[in-house]
């Protein structure tokens, strides 16, 4: 039985995307799984999985040198784990900022396979708040490191075709696109005149705020699921707080629309928004709820338009956006019919799992 060392890096134990790889691969291989914890925990084994928590305490500080020192200490622990573990496949869910190339080079030096699961376009996602000349310099430096990581990887996994094509350029590599599929599909006969905004990390509304306010005047309720409510204090809304996954899906399923339009940072061309296929997008369709998607979100808007499963808007054009959403609501049955026809494409299942496992282990 092959041994797969999965580096979750700073992801928590049950991170949806990361833990799915652990569960899938452990059915066919021995898995050693590293993840982060805030308080010290002991290693343990369960079934085919050896769980290896590495502690990183949450200690807020503005001292950049102190932050760097703690990150280096954490990265060294991860590298030591890699070098002291017997494995056939090194599966990287992120890279180590203070040692960005070392894990890849080490695995190749001992003749092991490297699989790189690229959740985001790292040159922009890493230190994403840097802007101006410093931000551009950071992108260029990380891009060179990113390309070296790609060259050293045997297999690459991307979240969208657009992200894959831009990251690879002219390179010919063994690749697989694995979006952030929903875990389950649900259906609700109850459909309230609500627009839900879902997420674990609070993301700001830009021009969408005016769109939502006009829709509230048209009788819609704006509901926040998961994110901090006070971020949206200037918009009338209902707040559910964080919900377990099953309950979150039920809550989404009862809404008329799910809003997938936001700003992660001030830049409109931030590629991790443009090319993302986030959990909230796949979860919404799997819950049977049409999505309202920002036109500039290339990967999502393409799917929405091709399958007819939501509304694509330009939030800067408030009047047109509101008009399109109200028109979609008047023709709501067609949206629901399209979603029911295509829903299974958005849900993780045995067929998708088999393709993933064969890709990683073959």
């Amino acid at each position: 039985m092959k041994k797969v060392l999965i580096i979750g890096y700073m992801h928590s134990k049950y991170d949806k995307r990361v833990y799915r790889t652990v569960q899938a691969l452990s059915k066919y291989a021995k898995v050693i799984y590293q993840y982060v914890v805030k308080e010290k925990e002991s290693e343990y084994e369960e079934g085919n999985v050896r769980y290896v928590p590495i502690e990183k305490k949450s200690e807020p500080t503005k001292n950049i040198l102190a932050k760097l020192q703690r990150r280096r200490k954490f990265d060294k622990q991860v590298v030591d784990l890699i070098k002291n573990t017997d494995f056939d496949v090194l599966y990287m869910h992120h890279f180590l900022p203070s040692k960005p190339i070392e894990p890849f080079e080490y695995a190749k030096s001992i003749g092991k396979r490297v699989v790189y699961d690229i959740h985001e376009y790292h040159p922009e996602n890493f230190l994403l708040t840097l802007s101006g000349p410093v931000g551009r310099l950071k992108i260029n430096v990380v891009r060179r490191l990113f390309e070296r990581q790609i060259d050293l990887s045997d297999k690459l996994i991307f979240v969208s075709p657009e992200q894959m094509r831009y990251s690879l350029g002219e390179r010919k590599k063994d690749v697989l696109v694995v979006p952030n599929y929903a875990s389950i599909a649900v259906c609700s006969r109850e459909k309230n005149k609500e627009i839900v905004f879902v997420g674990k990390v609070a993301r700001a509304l830009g021009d969408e705020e005016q769109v939502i306010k006009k829709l509230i005047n048209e009788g819609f309720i704006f509901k926040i699921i998961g994110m901090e409510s006070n971020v949206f204090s200037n918009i009338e809304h209902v707040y559910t707080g964080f919900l377990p996954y099953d309950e979150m899906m039920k809550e989404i399923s009862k809404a008329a629309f799910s809003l997938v339009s936001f700003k992660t940072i001030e830049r409109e061309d931030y590629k991790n928004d443009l090319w993302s296929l986030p959990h909230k997008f796949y979860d919404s369709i799997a819950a049977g709820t049409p999505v309202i998607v920002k036109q500039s979100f290339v990967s999502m808007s393409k799917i929405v338009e091709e399958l007819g499963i939501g509304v694509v808007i330009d939030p800067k054009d408030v009047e047109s956006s509101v008009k399109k959403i109200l028109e979609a609501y008047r023709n709501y049955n067609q949206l629901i019919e399209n979603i029911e026809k295509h829903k299974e494409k958005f849900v993780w299942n045995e067929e998708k799992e088999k393709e993933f496992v064969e890709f990683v282990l073959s």
Side-chain angles (χ1 to χ4, degrees):
M1 184 176 279
K2 287 185 177 178
K3 297 177 182 177
V4 182
L5 173 56
I6 296 179
I7 300 300
Y9 193 55
M10 298 291 286
H11 290 95
S12 60
K13 181 179 181 180
Y14 295 116
D15 176 89
K16 187 176 174 185
R17 184 177 180 92
V18 176
Y19 197 62
R20 177 174 285 161
T21 65
V22 174
Q23 291 177 304
L25 292 169
S26 66
K27 295 176 183 178
Y28 305 91
K30 175 70 176 178
V31 171
I32 306 95
Y33 174 36
Q34 176 272 319
Y35 54 95
V36 71
V37 291
K38 293 180 181 178
E39 300 293 337
K40 189 173 180 61
E41 293 181 13
S42 300
E43 286 187 27
Y44 70 98
E45 288 199 27
E46 188 173 278
N48 274 344
V49 184
R50 173 185 154 204
Y51 292 89
V52 185
I54 296 183
E55 180 185 6
K56 187 178 188 299
K57 290 184 177 180
S58 180
E59 299 174 9
T61 177
K62 293 183 179 180
N63 188 315
I64 295 176
L65 292 177
K67 285 183 178 180
L68 179 60
Q69 183 61 31
R70 284 204 293 270
R71 182 56 66 95
R72 282 178 171 169
K73 181 180 178 182
F74 185 85
D75 289 358
K76 184 180 184 302
Q77 288 180 276
V78 176
V79 169
D80 288 346
L81 171 67
I82 294 170
K83 291 185 175 181
N84 291 297
T85 300
D86 178 27
F87 62 87
D88 301 294
V89 179
L90 175 64
Y91 192 116
M92 299 289 293
H93 273 287
H94 205 278
F95 71 95
L96 285 53
S98 71
K99 298 176 183 292
I101 305 298
E102 190 170 346
F104 297 83
E105 287 186 332
Y106 172 75
K108 299 303 293 179
S109 73
I110 60 172
K112 305 301 182 181
R113 184 182 303 149
V114 178
V115 178
Y116 195 11
D117 194 325
I118 301 167
H119 301 201
E120 303 93 5
Y121 178 65
H122 292 311
E124 290 198 359
N125 181 66
F126 180 64
L127 298 177
L128 78 168
T129 57
L130 290 178
S131 59
V134 174
R136 290 192 292 274
L137 175 62
K138 179 270 301 185
I139 288 174
N140 289 333
V141 170
V142 180
R143 174 76 200 193
R144 287 196 291 271
L145 293 170
F146 184 52
E147 289 176 345
R148 179 61 179 152
Q149 292 164 351
I150 287 174
D151 289 338
L152 287 166
S153 299
D154 297 283
K155 301 194 175 192
L156 298 150
I157 298 173
F158 296 93
V159 296
S160 74
E162 291 78 16
Q163 181 211 47
M164 176 189 72
R165 286 192 288 268
Y166 190 84
S167 298
L168 289 180
E170 298 300 316
R171 290 172 176 80
K172 302 297 181 184
K173 301 290 289 188
D174 198 358
V175 299
L176 181 68
V177 174
V178 180
N180 290 308
Y181 292 110
S183 298
I184 57 173
V186 299
C187 184
S188 173
R189 292 183 180 179
E190 178 186 356
K191 277 291 185 184
N192 303 318
K193 198 174 181 181
E194 295 175 344
I195 298 170
V196 293
F197 193 42
V198 189
K200 183 167 62 176
V201 178
R203 299 183 190 276
L205 293 176
D207 300 296
E208 294 88 352
E209 184 176 317
Q210 295 307 313
V211 175
I212 292 299
K213 285 181 176 179
K214 283 188 174 291
L215 289 169
I216 290 171
N217 290 336
E218 294 287 342
F220 282 91
I221 293 170
F222 186 49
K223 181 175 284 187
I224 310 295
I225 301 176
M227 288 175 274
E228 287 294 329
S229 178
N230 58 13
V231 175
F232 309 95
S233 58
N234 56 338
I235 306 176
E236 183 182 343
H237 67 276
V238 174
Y239 179 53
T240 69
F242 175 80
L243 298 175
Y245 186 75
D246 289 4
E247 291 182 34
M248 178 199 74
M249 290 293 282
K250 288 177 183 176
E251 200 66 39
I252 296 173
S253 73
K254 293 185 288 186
F257 294 102
S258 175
L259 180 67
V260 192
S261 183
F262 49 82
K263 289 176 85 171
T264 299
I265 59 175
E266 285 305 309
R267 283 175 44 207
E268 293 287 345
D269 63 343
Y270 180 57
K271 295 178 178 61
N272 289 299
D273 285 345
L274 306 189
W275 300 332
S276 68
L277 292 174
H279 294 296
K280 68 183 77 179
F281 178 70
Y282 275 70
D283 287 340
S284 298
I285 303 304
T289 297
V291 287
I292 300 169
V293 172
K294 195 173 185 176
Q295 180 180 294
S296 60
F297 289 0
V298 178
S299 298
M300 284 182 275
S301 60
K302 180 181 177 183
I303 293 172
V304 170
E305 289 179 332
E306 284 181 353
L307 303 182
I309 54 176
V311 188
V312 176
I313 65 169
D314 176 4
K316 291 183 182 299
D317 188 342
V318 175
E319 295 301 327
S320 175
S321 296
V322 171
K323 184 178 178 180
K324 288 181 74 173
I325 293 166
L326 292 177
E327 178 66 21
Y329 193 59
R330 284 191 288 269
N331 297 284
Y332 197 72
N333 288 340
Q334 184 60 60
L335 287 178
I336 296 300
E337 185 179 317
N338 293 341
I339 285 177
E340 288 305 312
K341 187 190 303 181
H342 299 291
K343 184 187 284 188
E344 286 305 313
K345 296 175 183 175
F346 295 81
V347 183
W348 184 252
N349 56 26
E350 288 185 12
E351 182 181 348
K352 295 182 181 78
E353 180 177 272
K354 183 179 179 183
E355 180 185 20
F356 165 75
V357 169
E358 288 180 351
F359 176 80
V360 174
L361 297 181
S362 63

